Every structure is written in structure tokens, then in C-alpha cells.
């Protein structure tokens, strides 16, 4: 089993979200999608992210943009970095993922594509409404659903859980509950972990 803790506001998470799905299908692994707020993680255990944004190392920042575009090209995705609005408040989008539960993948996919591919501000209700229409979600039910206290509480609980389990950003991925991986570039290691797990179960 794969647990995928994610926030749509991260470009590396967009890549991993896209890339892990065919990997899981190929190896017959179930993905449990766990929406979080990555800002909550940074505030709690990884504030250095904010310092890096305020005072980036120019050479490292330039390479990161190239690295991101190389990975995006490899995945067949369009990513604008940075988007016009960055960082973005993704709380409503991530609550939407919680509210949709087992049906969240088409919505999350559209949120990623809208923000990273189309450079639209996913914190805005009008943009979220457009995404709802695109994937066939009733807008009124969506906005009512994401305002429910239980949905807000679950997003907070997911965020606190990943920190308690050792996570410090998005995406944080667990194989079989305890084997943690961070980032899109760890997918080859996740493949190996899944193959080991299959072999030991045979």
C-alpha cells in the first residue's frame, strides 16, 4: 500500500502525483490519497523553507528551475515556475480533496493542471468553480462541503499526522505504513520497495 500525503501548491508534488499513478497500476499497489496543508508542516517543523525563499542561493535557484523543467518534460507536463501567485493559499482546494474522498483524483488533477499548467490562482472561488464545472462537480455542494467543520478538522489531522510520522514537506509517501520517501525523485526507490514487498509476500 502507498500513502501519498500531498498539497497541490507544490510543483514537485504535481510531478509525483502524475508519476506515481502508472507505477502503482503496474505493480498492483493501492494508493491512499492524504491531502494536507504543506504550510502547516513548514510552520511546525521546517521553517527553513521560508528563509530559502527570502534569500535564495542564485546558482541553486537557477538550477532548480532547470531541474523542474527537465522533470516536467520527462513527465509530459507543463509547469510555470514561479506561477504569478506563489506561494498560493491552497486550503480550499485541499479541503475539496478531503470532501470528495474516493472521488478526489480527477479534481486534484485539475487543480494541479490549473495552477501549475494554466497559471490560475486556485485560492479564488471563481477558479475553483471553474474546476468543479470541468470535472462535473456541483459547485454549490462543493462550497458547502468544504465549509463543514469535519472537513476542516480532517485536513488539519492529516497534516499533523504526517509530521508525527516524520514528514517535513510535500509529497511525503509511505510504503506499507512505515517506509517513508520524500519527493518526486524518490519514485525509483519506491518502485524497489514495492517490488521487495511483493517478493516477500509471495
Amino acid at each position: 500500500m502507498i500513502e501519498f500525503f500531498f498539497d497541490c501548491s507544490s510543483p514537485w508534488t504535481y510531478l509525483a502525483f502524475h508519476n506515481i499513478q502508472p507505477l502503482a497500476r503496474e505493480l498492483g499497489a493501492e494508493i491512499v490519497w492524504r491531502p494536507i496543508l504543506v504550510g502547516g508542516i513548514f510552520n511546525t517543523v521546517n521553517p527553513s523553507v521560508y528563509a530559502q525563499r527570502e534569500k535564495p542561493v542564485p546558482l541553486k535557484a537557477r538550477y532548480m528551475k532547470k531541474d523542474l523543467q527537465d522533470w516536467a518534460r520527462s513527465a509530459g507536463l507543463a509547469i510555470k515556475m514561479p506561477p504569478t501567485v506563489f506561494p498560493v493559499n491552497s486550503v480550499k482546494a485541499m479541503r475539496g480533496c478531503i470532501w470528495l474522498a474516493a472521488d478526489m483524483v480527477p479534481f486534484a488533477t485539475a487543480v494541479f493542471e490549473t495552477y501549475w499548467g494554466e497559471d490560475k490562482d486556485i485560492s479564488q472561488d471563481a477558479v475553483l468553480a471553474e474546476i468543479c464545472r470541468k470535472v462535473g462537480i456541483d459547485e454549490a455542494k462543493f462550497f458547502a462541503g468544504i465549509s463543514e467543520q469535519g472537513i476542516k478538522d480532517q485536513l488539519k489531522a492529516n497534516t499533523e499526522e504526517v509530521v508525527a510520522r516524520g514528514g517535513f514537506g510535500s509529497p511525503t509517501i509511505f510504503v506499507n505504513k512505515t517506509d517513508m520517501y520524500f519527493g518526486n525523485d524518490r519514485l525509483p526507490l519506491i518502485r524497489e520497495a514495492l517490488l521487495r514487498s511483493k517478493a516477500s509476500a509471495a
Side-chain angles (χ1 to χ4, degrees):
M1 183 186 74
I2 300 167
E3 291 172 280
F4 190 92
F5 288 85
F6 73 102
D7 185 328
C8 291
S9 68
S10 158
W12 301 106
T13 306
Y14 180 23
L15 291 163
F17 180 89
H18 174 86
N19 290 330
I20 203 166
Q21 292 183 63
L23 171 61
R25 281 194 298 270
E26 177 192 342
L27 298 180
E30 176 195 3
I31 302 176
V32 178
W33 302 105
R34 305 293 301 278
I36 57 169
L37 282 180
V38 76
I41 295 177
F42 294 158
N43 292 339
T44 306
V45 295
N46 194 9
S48 65
V49 170
Y50 300 128
Q52 289 169 7
R53 285 178 185 166
E54 287 176 17
K55 293 186 178 180
V57 177
L59 292 176
K60 186 177 179 182
R62 190 166 68 206
Y63 177 74
M64 192 206 81
K65 290 179 80 169
K66 175 197 180 296
D67 193 32
L68 187 61
Q69 293 307 323
D70 287 344
W71 279 106
R73 188 183 310 108
S74 176
L77 299 174
I79 294 182
K80 180 180 187 251
M81 184 66 191
T84 303
V85 177
F86 183 80
V88 71
N89 184 338
S90 62
V91 64
K92 290 182 178 178
M94 300 319 297
R95 286 177 186 164
C97 290
I98 296 276
W99 177 71
L100 286 160
D103 299 321
M104 78 174 74
V105 171
F107 173 79
T109 301
V111 171
F112 276 121
E113 291 173 350
T114 298
Y115 182 52
W116 291 107
E118 300 173 25
D119 192 22
K120 294 181 180 178
D121 182 358
I122 57 169
S123 72
Q124 299 301 309
D125 286 357
V127 174
L128 291 172
E130 180 185 324
I131 292 169
C132 286
R133 290 191 293 272
K134 186 185 295 183
V135 297
I137 297 167
D138 183 292
E139 298 167 46
K141 289 181 180 176
F142 174 85
F143 286 108
I146 65 172
S147 67
E148 294 172 5
Q149 191 60 47
I151 298 299
K152 298 176 183 180
D153 291 346
Q154 186 60 58
L155 184 59
K156 185 171 185 285
N158 284 0
T159 305
E160 291 173 348
E161 179 185 336
V162 75
V163 170
R165 292 169 66 181
F168 50 86
S170 174
T172 299
I173 304 158
F174 290 90
V175 175
N176 295 333
K177 293 287 186 183
T178 57
D179 192 11
M180 189 181 91
Y181 298 88
F182 174 70
N184 172 69
D185 55 351
R186 301 307 190 276
L187 291 184
L189 301 179
I190 292 170
R191 171 188 287 277
E192 291 177 10
L194 291 168
L195 289 171
R196 285 196 304 272
S197 181
K198 286 184 76 170
S200 65

mmCIF file of all heavy atoms in Angstrom, residues 14-31:
data_model
loop_
_atom_site.group_PDB
_atom_site.id
_atom_site.type_symbol
_atom_site.label_atom_id
_atom_site.label_comp_id
_atom_site.label_asym_id
_atom_site.label_seq_id
_atom_site.Cartn_x
_atom_site.Cartn_y
_atom_site.Cartn_z
ATOM 1 N N TYR A 14 3.105 17.901 -7.867
ATOM 2 C CA TYR A 14 2.403 17.721 -9.144
ATOM 3 C C TYR A 14 3.073 16.615 -9.955
ATOM 4 O O TYR A 14 2.401 15.714 -10.492
ATOM 5 C CB TYR A 14 2.437 19.052 -9.902
ATOM 6 C CG TYR A 14 1.760 19.074 -11.252
ATOM 7 C CD1 TYR A 14 0.749 18.165 -11.606
ATOM 8 C CD2 TYR A 14 2.109 20.041 -12.190
ATOM 9 C CE1 TYR A 14 0.138 18.218 -12.857
ATOM 10 C CE2 TYR A 14 1.492 20.103 -13.428
ATOM 11 C CZ TYR A 14 0.511 19.192 -13.762
ATOM 12 O OH TYR A 14 -0.089 19.256 -14.988
ATOM 13 N N LEU A 15 4.394 16.660 -10.030
ATOM 14 C CA LEU A 15 5.125 15.636 -10.775
ATOM 15 C C LEU A 15 4.927 14.255 -10.162
ATOM 16 O O LEU A 15 4.637 13.280 -10.860
ATOM 17 C CB LEU A 15 6.619 15.988 -10.799
ATOM 18 C CG LEU A 15 6.991 17.215 -11.628
ATOM 19 C CD1 LEU A 15 8.371 17.711 -11.253
ATOM 20 C CD2 LEU A 15 6.925 16.886 -13.116
ATOM 21 N N ALA A 16 5.076 14.170 -8.843
ATOM 22 C CA ALA A 16 4.956 12.875 -8.179
ATOM 23 C C ALA A 16 3.539 12.322 -8.266
ATOM 24 O O ALA A 16 3.333 11.117 -8.452
ATOM 25 C CB ALA A 16 5.381 13.002 -6.717
ATOM 26 N N PHE A 17 2.547 13.194 -8.126
ATOM 27 C CA PHE A 17 1.138 12.793 -8.231
ATOM 28 C C PHE A 17 0.881 12.160 -9.600
ATOM 29 O O PHE A 17 0.215 11.127 -9.717
ATOM 30 C CB PHE A 17 0.269 14.039 -8.036
ATOM 31 C CG PHE A 17 -1.216 13.803 -8.117
ATOM 32 C CD1 PHE A 17 -1.946 13.467 -6.985
ATOM 33 C CD2 PHE A 17 -1.905 13.961 -9.314
ATOM 34 C CE1 PHE A 17 -3.321 13.274 -7.048
ATOM 35 C CE2 PHE A 17 -3.276 13.768 -9.391
ATOM 36 C CZ PHE A 17 -3.978 13.419 -8.249
ATOM 37 N N HIS A 18 1.424 12.784 -10.638
ATOM 38 C CA HIS A 18 1.270 12.270 -12.000
ATOM 39 C C HIS A 18 2.036 10.959 -12.191
ATOM 40 O O HIS A 18 1.512 9.993 -12.753
ATOM 41 C CB HIS A 18 1.780 13.326 -12.986
ATOM 42 C CG HIS A 18 1.807 12.873 -14.411
ATOM 43 N ND1 HIS A 18 0.714 12.968 -15.245
ATOM 44 C CD2 HIS A 18 2.799 12.309 -15.156
ATOM 45 C CE1 HIS A 18 1.026 12.485 -16.445
ATOM 46 N NE2 HIS A 18 2.280 12.088 -16.415
ATOM 47 N N ASN A 19 3.270 10.919 -11.695
ATOM 48 C CA ASN A 19 4.159 9.795 -11.995
ATOM 49 C C ASN A 19 3.882 8.544 -11.167
ATOM 50 O O ASN A 19 4.174 7.431 -11.614
ATOM 51 C CB ASN A 19 5.619 10.220 -11.791
ATOM 52 C CG ASN A 19 6.094 11.200 -12.849
ATOM 53 O OD1 ASN A 19 5.631 11.174 -13.992
ATOM 54 N ND2 ASN A 19 7.006 12.087 -12.473
ATOM 55 N N ILE A 20 3.324 8.720 -9.970
ATOM 56 C CA ILE A 20 3.149 7.548 -9.104
ATOM 57 C C ILE A 20 1.952 6.700 -9.531
ATOM 58 O O ILE A 20 1.908 5.501 -9.252
ATOM 59 C CB ILE A 20 3.024 7.961 -7.620
ATOM 60 C CG1 ILE A 20 3.423 6.774 -6.723
ATOM 61 C CG2 ILE A 20 1.626 8.489 -7.288
ATOM 62 C CD1 ILE A 20 3.660 7.140 -5.274
ATOM 63 N N GLN A 21 1.012 7.295 -10.251
ATOM 64 C CA GLN A 21 -0.198 6.538 -10.602
ATOM 65 C C GLN A 21 0.090 5.379 -11.559
ATOM 66 O O GLN A 21 -0.348 4.247 -11.296
ATOM 67 C CB GLN A 21 -1.264 7.495 -11.147
ATOM 68 C CG GLN A 21 -1.784 8.435 -10.063
ATOM 69 C CD GLN A 21 -2.888 9.329 -10.554
ATOM 70 O OE1 GLN A 21 -3.973 8.877 -10.942
ATOM 71 N NE2 GLN A 21 -2.641 10.632 -10.548
ATOM 72 N N PRO A 22 0.829 5.587 -12.663
ATOM 73 C CA PRO A 22 1.141 4.424 -13.516
ATOM 74 C C PRO A 22 2.041 3.408 -12.817
ATOM 75 O O PRO A 22 1.924 2.205 -13.063
ATOM 76 C CB PRO A 22 1.826 5.046 -14.739
ATOM 77 C CG PRO A 22 2.236 6.413 -14.334
ATOM 78 C CD PRO A 22 1.265 6.849 -13.286
ATOM 79 N N LEU A 23 2.918 3.890 -11.938
ATOM 80 C CA LEU A 23 3.769 2.977 -11.182
ATOM 81 C C LEU A 23 2.929 2.058 -10.294
ATOM 82 O O LEU A 23 3.135 0.842 -10.262
ATOM 83 C CB LEU A 23 4.752 3.792 -10.325
ATOM 84 C CG LEU A 23 5.588 3.023 -9.307
ATOM 85 C CD1 LEU A 23 6.473 1.990 -9.994
ATOM 86 C CD2 LEU A 23 6.435 3.982 -8.479
ATOM 87 N N ALA A 24 1.962 2.650 -9.596
ATOM 88 C CA ALA A 24 1.092 1.854 -8.725
ATOM 89 C C ALA A 24 0.259 0.862 -9.528
ATOM 90 O O ALA A 24 0.088 -0.298 -9.126
ATOM 91 C CB ALA A 24 0.183 2.783 -7.921
ATOM 92 N N ARG A 25 -0.262 1.301 -10.679
ATOM 93 C CA ARG A 25 -1.053 0.397 -11.533
ATOM 94 C C ARG A 25 -0.201 -0.777 -12.009
ATOM 95 O O ARG A 25 -0.636 -1.929 -11.991
ATOM 96 C CB ARG A 25 -1.621 1.159 -12.733
ATOM 97 C CG ARG A 25 -2.848 1.993 -12.418
ATOM 98 C CD ARG A 25 -3.548 2.444 -13.689
ATOM 99 N NE ARG A 25 -2.708 3.303 -14.513
ATOM 100 C CZ ARG A 25 -2.668 4.631 -14.408
ATOM 101 N NH1 ARG A 25 -3.403 5.246 -13.494
ATOM 102 N NH2 ARG A 25 -1.901 5.346 -15.205
ATOM 103 N N GLU A 26 1.013 -0.474 -12.432
ATOM 104 C CA GLU A 26 1.907 -1.512 -12.953
ATOM 105 C C GLU A 26 2.185 -2.585 -11.901
ATOM 106 O O GLU A 26 2.222 -3.787 -12.213
ATOM 107 C CB GLU A 26 3.222 -0.867 -13.400
ATOM 108 C CG GLU A 26 4.256 -1.850 -13.886
ATOM 109 C CD GLU A 26 5.631 -1.224 -14.040
ATOM 110 O OE1 GLU A 26 5.725 0.028 -14.111
ATOM 111 O OE2 GLU A 26 6.614 -1.977 -14.054
ATOM 112 N N LEU A 27 2.365 -2.148 -10.653
ATOM 113 C CA LEU A 27 2.760 -3.092 -9.606
ATOM 114 C C LEU A 27 1.583 -3.541 -8.748
ATOM 115 O O LEU A 27 1.777 -4.270 -7.772
ATOM 116 C CB LEU A 27 3.845 -2.455 -8.729
ATOM 117 C CG LEU A 27 5.145 -2.097 -9.459
ATOM 118 C CD1 LEU A 27 6.154 -1.484 -8.506
ATOM 119 C CD2 LEU A 27 5.743 -3.322 -10.145
ATOM 120 N N GLY A 28 0.383 -3.132 -9.109
ATOM 121 C CA GLY A 28 -0.801 -3.575 -8.378
ATOM 122 C C GLY A 28 -0.875 -3.046 -6.961
ATOM 123 O O GLY A 28 -1.378 -3.730 -6.069
ATOM 124 N N ALA A 29 -0.358 -1.836 -6.749
ATOM 125 C CA ALA A 29 -0.356 -1.241 -5.405
ATOM 126 C C ALA A 29 -1.502 -0.242 -5.280
ATOM 127 O O ALA A 29 -1.756 0.550 -6.184
ATOM 128 C CB ALA A 29 0.968 -0.543 -5.136
ATOM 129 N N GLU A 30 -2.172 -0.270 -4.148
ATOM 130 C CA GLU A 30 -3.244 0.685 -3.868
ATOM 131 C C GLU A 30 -2.627 1.996 -3.384
ATOM 132 O O GLU A 30 -1.670 1.994 -2.605
ATOM 133 C CB GLU A 30 -4.159 0.127 -2.777
ATOM 134 C CG GLU A 30 -5.258 1.093 -2.345
ATOM 135 C CD GLU A 30 -5.928 0.690 -1.045
ATOM 136 O OE1 GLU A 30 -5.512 -0.310 -0.432
ATOM 137 O OE2 GLU A 30 -6.873 1.394 -0.646
ATOM 138 N N ILE A 31 -3.178 3.130 -3.854
ATOM 139 C CA ILE A 31 -2.755 4.437 -3.350
ATOM 140 C C ILE A 31 -3.856 4.993 -2.458
ATOM 141 O O ILE A 31 -5.013 5.083 -2.867
ATOM 142 C CB ILE A 31 -2.483 5.442 -4.486
ATOM 143 C CG1 ILE A 31 -1.406 4.920 -5.434
ATOM 144 C CG2 ILE A 31 -2.061 6.800 -3.894
ATOM 145 C CD1 ILE A 31 -1.142 5.820 -6.633
#
